[in-house]
Amino acid sequence: QVQLVESGGGVAQPGRSLRLSCAASGFTLRSYAIHWVRQAPGKGLEWVALIWYDGSKKYYADSVKGRFTISRDNSRDTVYLQMSSLTTEDTAVYYCARVYSGYDPDAFDVWGQGTMVTVSS
Amino acid sequence: QSVLTQPPSVSGAPGQRVTISCTGSSSNIGAGYDVHWYQQFPGTAPKFLIFGNNNRPSGVPDRFSGSKSGTSASLAITGLQAEDEGDYYCQSFDSSLTAFVFGTGTKLTVL
């Protein structure tokens, strides 16, 4: 069964850090680019970051640039999102999503169940 | 502050047809970028619904269809069913922002 499973969410104080993981199963992660997308409580979807299949290219939304770092370990079938200097605006459910390529832009065909990040003092 | 605008809500009776618009600009949909659509139920992850403007992934009923024209795109749902009730999002790319962008989202209510 093709799936993505996020973990690492929780409560963090403003200014602190948190690392999220996205583990893949049922498919070869190293063949796919992966995105992180977040959704604040009661709000819409917001794209956060993208990493190419081999990690050679990384892109970020302006709202997280310089604070978040996306990385991957294909030997562990896992993608990470290192979040630093967290603010209350970062409170959201974070989803990882697999790229469905062949279109411009790529679509997201497989989504994880999401992990909740709450930034609060 | 999404650059893709959707109506906050739409509604229809069972069996009816509804459409959800996704209005962009010359830096996203109007620039020729593809539009994709996702369906989301409360407390669950988005589901892949339409890709490449008008294509359905395997398993998505043909009651769902997409279209694109100029700076806008639309999702149409025919033969509305109670199980279609949820939130719908369009997605594309914006060259001015150099970012993947989602629509503001539309809540579909089946009366």
Side-chain angles (χ1 to χ4, degrees):
Chain A
Q1 180 185 1
V2 172
Q3 66 175 356
L4 294 168
V5 178
E6 303 92 339
S7 61
V11 180
Q13 292 182 324
R16 304 301 292 262
S17 299
L18 212 55
R19 188 178 82 159
L20 306 183
S21 299
C22 169
S25 61
F27 68 99
T28 304
L29 182 71
R30 67 175 63 89
S31 298
Y32 292 88
I34 297 291
H35 292 260
W36 284 95
V37 175
R38 69 184 180 183
Q39 186 170 34
K43 302 297 184 181
L45 301 170
E46 179 189 14
W47 174 72
V48 173
L50 159 67
I51 186 166
W52 277 37
Y53 69 99
D54 60 355
S56 61
K57 295 188 178 183
K58 304 173 186 181
Y59 302 92
Y60 301 93
D62 285 346
S63 57
V64 306
K65 203 172 293 182
R67 300 188 301 119
F68 288 13
T69 301
I70 191 171
S71 62
R72 64 193 299 155
D73 183 343
N74 285 339
S75 68
R76 296 178 182 270
D77 289 318
T78 302
V79 173
Y80 304 97
L81 185 68
Q82 178 69 46
M83 305 185 296
S84 303
S85 302
L86 286 164
T87 75
T88 56
E89 303 281 298
D90 297 316
T91 294
V93 174
Y94 285 74
Y95 298 100
C96 58
R98 188 180 79 169
V99 156
Y100 185 83
S101 60
Y103 293 86
D104 185 16
D106 296 326
F108 310 145
D109 68 339
V110 177
W111 296 66
Q113 85 288 352
T115 187
M116 182 70 203
V117 171
T118 302
V119 183
S120 173
S121 55
Chain B
Q1 67 287 358
S2 176
V3 297
L4 301 181
T5 302
Q6 299 178 231
S9 64
V10 297
S11 63
Q16 286 190 332
R17 177 181 186 270
V18 296
T19 62
I20 298 173
S21 60
C22 174
T23 303
S25 67
S26 58
S27 62
N28 42 70
I29 298 175
Y33 291 108
D34 290 317
V35 178
H36 316 299
W37 291 88
Y38 305 89
Q39 176 190 58
Q40 185 180 36
F41 300 121
T44 69
K47 173 191 169 185
F48 190 36
L49 190 65
I50 295 286
F51 66 94
N53 307 313
N54 56 13
N55 301 285
R56 287 185 307 278
S58 171
V60 173
D62 59 7
R63 301 186 296 105
F64 294 88
S65 64
S67 64
K68 173 188 158 184
S69 179
T71 58
S72 296
S74 289
L75 173 71
I77 310 172
T78 59
L80 207 56
Q81 299 180 4
E83 66 203 49
D84 299 332
E85 191 165 282
D87 297 321
Y88 293 80
Y89 293 90
C90 58
Q91 177 244 319
S92 189
F93 184 85
D94 191 279
S95 58
S96 295
L97 299 173
T98 316
F100 296 83
V101 289
F102 287 93
T104 48
T106 298
K107 180 176 180 58
L108 169 63
T109 299
V110 180
L111 302 171

